[in-house]
Amino acid sequence: VGRLFEKISLDMYAAGLKVSIFMASVEIGDIYKQVHDILSSNSIPQLLFCFGYMNFRQKPNLRHPVEEKLIS
């Protein structure tokens, strides 16, 4: 799943598309069952994502220095 998604994500980026990942939402509660029903699949979904063009410029997310998060 990881390598395939990375390839898809890079291809989408090269085409000017933005990708959004909903990994945790598939793992929480019964959402995976809804995805399962929509796809008419017997498999449990591992990753849910969407892609498309954005019509506005998104501000970069705030990043914290690694040193702030390390516990010594």
Side-chain angles (χ1 to χ4, degrees), residues 26-45:
V26 175
E27 299 170 348
I28 296 172
D30 291 336
I31 295 177
Y32 78 92
K33 291 179 184 176
Q34 295 173 16
V35 174
H36 181 271
D37 292 342
I38 290 169
L39 297 176
S40 299
S41 171
N42 292 327
S43 301
I44 297 173

Side-chain angles (χ1 to χ4, degrees), residues 1-24:
V1 174
R3 288 181 182 175
L4 178 58
F5 173 74
E6 190 65 28
K7 167 123 178 59
I8 292 169
S9 180
L10 289 171
D11 288 346
M12 296 297 165
Y13 182 79
L17 295 159
K18 302 294 182 190
V19 179
S20 185
I21 304 170
F22 303 103
M23 182 83 103

Side-chain angles (χ1 to χ4, degrees), residues 12-19 50-56:
M12 296 297 165
Y13 182 79
L17 295 159
K18 302 294 182 190
V19 179
C50 66
F51 58 90
Y53 296 102
M54 293 181 66
N55 57 3
F56 63 93

